[in-house]
Amino acid sequence: MTNSTSTQPSTPIEEYIARLGVSDIEIEAMDDQAARLRHDGLEFVLVVAPDEPAFFQLMLPGVWQAADATDRLRLLETANDVMNTLKAAKLVVHNQAVHVSVEQFVAGPEQGAALIPGLMELLKSAVAEFQERLGMGEAPRVH
């Protein structure tokens, strides 16, 4: 989805929407600092603070769901292992779900938007590494 207004973008997230809206990535605002991006059947979240356009976070939430019987120590060790392997990707275990993200400093939305497709691939690689080590998880990913 592209920015439907004809005025110039006024917030960093609106600039990302304007720049990414012309690509093969579907993007829509969630609020004044976050947008939902859809690509290759996955749903990412982009967060850019209105007062700090030089920093953004790209997330792929809920990529792996643990069963009640999942060994928590093994889950945490695997997340840490994947982070150490890929360096840039951050995995977070919250409740029974694993989320993966990357945080980046850039010159501004133009540079950030140019990096987004590659960072999406990085996040997909982190998910693949995690799944290779622990399997697909208890439930299918819903994005």
Side-chain angles (χ1 to χ4, degrees), residues 3-137:
N3 190 353
S4 60
T5 63
S6 59
T7 60
Q8 291 288 72
S10 61
T11 65
I13 202 69
E14 289 173 345
E15 286 190 51
Y16 276 91
I17 290 170
R19 292 178 185 284
L20 291 168
V22 298
S23 68
D24 63 341
I25 299 169
E26 286 182 52
I27 183 168
E28 64 182 342
M30 296 168 69
D31 57 34
D32 66 344
Q33 59 186 0
R36 182 175 295 111
L37 289 73
R38 291 182 189 90
H39 184 65
D40 285 345
L42 298 172
E43 189 171 287
F44 299 80
V45 176
L46 174 66
V47 178
V48 185
D51 60 343
E52 187 50 75
F55 178 79
F56 71 86
Q57 181 180 40
L58 182 65
M59 298 177 279
L60 188 51
V63 297
W64 198 86
Q65 197 67 37
D68 289 337
T70 300
D71 179 346
R72 182 112 174 128
L73 180 59
R74 183 167 179 236
L75 178 65
L76 295 172
E77 286 174 345
T78 302
N80 194 51
D81 228 17
V82 171
M83 284 191 297
N84 287 335
T85 300
L86 295 178
K87 304 294 184 210
K90 178 178 167 184
L91 281 82
V92 175
V93 178
H94 181 67
N95 294 329
Q96 292 296 91
V98 176
H99 313 279
V100 62
S101 69
V102 63
E103 298 173 343
Q104 189 72 46
F105 282 99
V106 292
E110 182 176 344
Q111 183 185 27
L115 292 174
I116 295 289
L119 293 174
M120 289 176 148
E121 291 303 316
L122 171 70
L123 295 181
K124 290 191 275 186
S125 292
V127 172
E129 282 282 328
F130 192 87
Q131 289 175 343
E132 184 176 309
R133 295 163 194 222
L134 285 185
M136 292 300 288

